[in-house]
Amino acid sequence: RSLMAAGSMDEAAAASDRAVAWLNRSLALDNSISTRKRLGDATLDRNDILISIGRVEDAIASLEQLLPLYDGLIAAEPRSPSLIRSRQVVLSDLSLAWFNLNEVNAGDPRKSVQYGRRLVDEVRRMAADDAADVSNRLMLAVCESELSIPLMETDPEEAVRSARRAVDQFDQLVRAAPKDRFMAPRRARALTRLSLALVSARRAGEAVEPALESVEIHRAMMAAQPDETRHAISAVFAFSAAGQALAGTGRYAEAERMHDEAAELGARVASGHGATLASAAAADYAALRDGDYWVTRRDPAKARAWYERARVMWSKRSEKSSWVERKRREVEAKLAAAR
């Protein structure tokens, strides 16, 4: 953890690999619940590091080995809240590792939906069993919102339903705790996902309102915390979603401004000191969506200009992971198609 905090991610990954390997060997001598718990905790820490440096295949392999470990632990301690939450983290991490918009992933939305549905079903049961537990309701809202992302690729209408349930749940939580400052960013991201789900379902007219509301919340968040990179990365997707929704309703001048603002903000967060792969993913998303917009407007020169921005950004990244290579190939394919 100290190496992660210092930004030495490759060294942190090597140290984490050694720790997990040692704990796996320890299981041969001590298969106790406490040893398996330590292995679970160490593997989850390792997963965070692997994703941050682009080793998504290694992260998925370790998480899929970890899931039956937690199933066994929960079978032995079925009422352990910490174990149940840890398994939910594994399911969430697996869903995100297989597919998402703003982090390193393997590009398989169907696998993502598989784990995301299992997570939502489990959290929904917990929320139903204890309706007074706000943490379960919050977790359910987050999970429903995140599940909408891969569903946009496999079943857009179901993505809309999942995203809308999430926004409705966040609205209820905000009404119950209007001074909770941590709720606004989560609700804003849920609104962004709802707007994107509606666009994917070809319902752009309905997408404009949640998209623009998300934009306004993100502007307020960035004004209040201008140095908070997470808000800026989230805003990139919010601005781009608004651009897509506005374009879908023929409000082209407004759409162009939103797309450009998204791309410019993405470029800033991706070029800052110590910019992460998450920052690069946001910049890539905004630039490609800006280029895609100009393809639909039949201006290939402007489309190529935005695709070229993404190509140059990826050419400057030093990572050699399969995900980065996949992103580079995607940009090259768009450039070739726009000629």
Side-chain angles (χ1 to χ4, degrees):
R1 288 179 179 272
S2 60
L3 289 168
M4 287 179 66
S8 303
M9 302 308 294
D10 288 331
E11 293 177 61
S16 183
D17 288 346
R18 290 193 297 271
V20 169
W22 182 85
L23 284 165
N24 271 308
R25 290 194 298 270
S26 299
L27 284 179
L29 302 173
D30 177 11
N31 195 32
S32 66
I33 289 177
S34 61
T35 301
R36 284 182 284 163
K37 285 180 179 178
R38 287 198 297 273
L39 174 60
D41 291 343
T43 303
L44 287 173
D45 286 344
R46 176 175 180 261
N47 174 70
D48 291 340
I49 300 168
L50 294 177
I51 290 294
S52 72
I53 60 176
R55 288 172 54 187
V56 65
E57 293 86 357
D58 292 338
I60 287 172
S62 66
L63 286 167
E64 290 189 333
Q65 291 176 353
L66 193 56
L67 194 54
L69 181 143
Y70 275 114
D71 288 342
L73 288 170
I74 291 170
E77 296 185 20
R79 296 186 179 276
S80 170
S82 63
L83 289 176
I84 292 170
R85 289 300 187 198
S86 292
R87 182 170 65 183
Q88 290 171 356
V89 170
V90 173
L91 289 168
S92 175
D93 285 355
L94 274 168
S95 183
L96 293 171
W98 277 113
F99 186 83
N100 70 83
L101 293 181
N102 57 331
E103 292 281 356
V104 176
N105 67 88
D108 189 334
R110 295 188 183 280
K111 278 281 192 180
S112 179
V113 168
Q114 173 188 330
Y115 288 110
R117 284 194 193 281
R118 179 177 168 184
L119 174 61
V120 166
D121 289 345
E122 182 170 309
V123 177
R124 185 179 287 129
R125 285 194 299 271
M126 292 178 64
D129 289 342
D130 187 358
D133 189 333
V134 174
S135 64
N136 286 334
R137 292 163 57 203
L138 175 58
M139 181 75 167
L140 181 59
V142 171
C143 294
E144 290 258 44
S145 181
E146 291 181 343
L147 177 59
S148 71
I149 296 171
L151 282 171
M152 293 177 209
E153 305 295 320
T154 63
D155 189 341
E157 288 295 341
E158 180 57 29
V160 171
R161 290 190 288 272
S162 185
R164 200 181 294 282
R165 284 193 298 268
V167 171
D168 289 345
Q169 290 156 8
F170 275 118
D171 287 345
Q172 293 173 21
L173 290 165
V174 169
R175 285 195 292 271
K179 294 183 180 180
D180 187 341
R181 62 188 179 89
F182 297 107
M183 204 65 72
R186 290 166 169 157
R187 182 173 176 274
R189 289 190 290 272
L191 287 166
T192 297
R193 292 166 186 150
L194 174 57
S195 64
L196 288 172
L198 287 163
V199 169
S200 74
R202 301 182 183 277
R203 294 161 60 179
E206 299 171 61
V208 172
E209 182 178 348
L212 293 181
E213 184 178 357
S214 179
V215 165
E216 291 309 308
I217 296 171
H218 277 91
R219 291 197 197 284
M221 284 160 38
M222 289 192 294
Q225 295 179 288
D227 297 325
E228 182 53 76
T229 303
R230 289 178 299 174
H231 292 341
I233 291 174
S234 183
V236 171
F237 291 94
F239 295 167
S240 181
Q244 294 171 60
L246 290 163
T249 57
R251 295 164 63 175
Y252 297 122
E254 295 169 88
E256 288 165 25
R257 287 195 293 272
M258 292 307 313
H259 274 304
D260 289 353
E261 190 171 358
E264 294 299 339
L265 179 58
R268 288 201 299 275
V269 298
S271 61
H273 176 69
T276 63
L277 282 176
S279 302
D284 173 83
Y285 181 87
L288 296 192
R289 297 297 80 74
D290 209 334
D292 293 347
Y293 167 78
W294 286 111
V295 168
T296 65
R297 300 292 290 152
R298 300 186 179 183
D299 192 332
K302 287 184 178 179
R304 286 195 302 273
W306 286 108
Y307 295 152
E308 179 63 17
R309 274 202 182 198
R311 189 198 67 77
V312 169
M313 180 197 69
W314 287 119
S315 72
K316 294 178 180 179
R317 301 290 308 193
S318 60
E319 296 88 354
K320 304 298 181 184
S321 72
S322 61
W323 181 76
V324 172
E325 291 305 317
R326 176 156 52 88
K327 299 304 291 184
R328 288 172 177 154
R329 290 194 300 271
E330 181 184 351
V331 173
E332 293 292 350
K334 284 184 175 290
L335 273 167
R339 289 196 176 96

